[in-house]
Amino acid sequence: MDAINYLRQFRVTGYAVFDFAAAFLGIFLLSPVLSKLFRKTGLEIPRINWLYLTLPIGIATHLVIGKVTPFTKNFIDIRGHYFLKLIVVGLTLLGLRNIRRAPPRRP
């Protein structure tokens, strides 16, 4: 058993804890770069908003690339998993809450 499979065997309600930890750590480390890139396009996105948007971005990314994970499958299931949907919608609203237009940059 390789290291990744060993780490992915620890689960909470069927979801691998390692996957969530890696996603949140990755966004935490990338958030300063992402905020700086979006500031150049005219949007001010605080670091905490990137953490709120981690799961919604993950679901959207998995749907776009066609890799349906158990979390994504449960989110798009129309017959259940309403608590999961409520959490993801809530995180999306929290993530979009403090996004502002960046003030124009002076040369």
Side-chain angles (χ1 to χ4, degrees), residues 27 31 35 44-57 91-100:
I27 286 290
S31 63
S35 291
E44 186 75 36
I45 304 176
R47 284 182 81 174
I48 190 71
N49 286 47
W50 290 111
L51 291 175
Y52 289 138
L53 292 171
T54 301
L55 294 179
I57 290 171
L91 287 172
T92 303
L93 293 174
L94 282 172
L96 296 176
R97 186 178 60 175
N98 291 327
I99 296 177
R100 308 270 185 253

Side-chain angles (χ1 to χ4, degrees), residues 19-44:
D19 292 344
F20 285 102
F24 281 103
L25 179 64
I27 286 290
F28 178 76
L29 294 174
L30 285 174
S31 63
V33 175
L34 292 170
S35 291
K36 190 178 288 189
L37 286 172
F38 275 86
R39 195 172 302 121
K40 290 181 181 180
T41 66
L43 289 176
E44 186 75 36

